[in-house]
Amino acid sequence: FYPAPWIQPSLRHQLRWQENTWYIENNPLFVTSDTLSNIYTANLMVQPLETLTLNGSFSIQTVGTVTPAEEAGPTNYMRFKGDVQTWGASADWLVYSDLTFNSSIHYTTTANFKDYAPAAMTYGSDFDQLDVTLGLKLTGLIKGAVIEPKYAFHSYHPNEDAEAGKYDAHVIW
């Protein structure tokens, strides 16, 4: 269903089930875990002008991993959850026949670390991540060559109770 030729919405569901088995060398025992993930994505592409394309998306992932530790002993380790939400947007604008401006932004967040606080567990995903890219595409300056300078800003801010590794980075290439 397209409400107009220049508007293209889409919905997608991805289902993933994965079983992992670990064996201990020289031991007949093994451990198996199961991971179930559902990813739901809504996307909207709009081309209001022949030279301008805009794209926006939202995605939510629900994921849980079950291990034998969930039912073992008095501690009963909880099922691992790693639910994630991601927003994204991009734009491509053909300024001239030999010059294109492009940009994108993606923001991802997850807050699952506190889910384990009652069990005194020190695991779970809990972070905010931002990626912004701006670029140009130049053709025609040198015959047969394309020049694409880009700038990117990457930011990763985890819950400091859950993990280290906070950073902000500027990249030019």
Side-chain angles (χ1 to χ4, degrees):
F1 165 74
Y2 299 116
W6 52 276
I7 299 175
Q8 295 185 9
S10 66
L11 294 172
R12 181 175 65 234
H13 173 250
Q14 296 169 277
L15 175 66
R16 181 176 179 211
W17 175 75
Q18 181 175 344
E19 181 180 81
N20 292 306
T21 302
W22 293 274
Y23 294 90
I24 300 169
E25 192 173 331
N26 297 325
N27 192 324
L29 299 176
F30 62 91
V31 175
T32 301
S33 69
D34 293 307
T35 300
L36 179 64
S37 174
N38 286 281
I39 304 170
Y40 304 93
T41 304
N43 191 74
L44 180 62
M45 193 279 297
V46 179
Q47 190 171 9
L49 305 170
E50 187 175 325
T51 59
L52 179 63
T53 302
L54 305 171
N55 192 23
S57 67
F58 173 71
S59 181
I60 186 165
Q61 176 181 14
T62 61
V63 62
T65 299
V66 178
T67 68
E70 185 174 4
E71 299 174 1
T75 57
N76 291 340
Y77 291 96
M78 299 172 67
R79 172 185 312 231
F80 174 80
K81 290 185 348 185
D83 302 347
V84 177
Q85 298 85 40
T86 301
W87 292 264
S90 66
D92 287 293
W93 176 34
L94 181 63
V95 181
Y96 301 106
S97 62
D98 58 355
L99 175 63
T100 302
F101 170 77
N102 51 62
S103 63
S104 68
I105 183 168
H106 291 95
Y107 174 71
T108 300
T109 186
T110 180
N112 300 296
F113 183 72
K114 290 184 176 25
D115 293 344
Y116 303 98
M121 296 304 298
T122 57
Y123 65 85
S125 58
D126 194 345
F127 63 86
D128 293 304
Q129 182 174 351
L130 176 66
D131 297 299
V132 179
T133 303
L134 303 171
L136 294 173
K137 181 176 181 180
L138 303 156
T139 58
L141 292 177
I142 301 170
K143 187 176 180 177
V146 176
I147 300 171
E148 290 190 71
K150 292 191 185 292
Y151 164 78
F153 173 72
H154 303 287
S155 175
Y156 182 77
H157 292 222
N159 174 341
E160 293 179 1
D161 293 334
E163 68 174 286
K166 175 181 173 180
Y167 67 85
D168 293 316
H170 300 270
V171 182
I172 297 174
W173 71 98

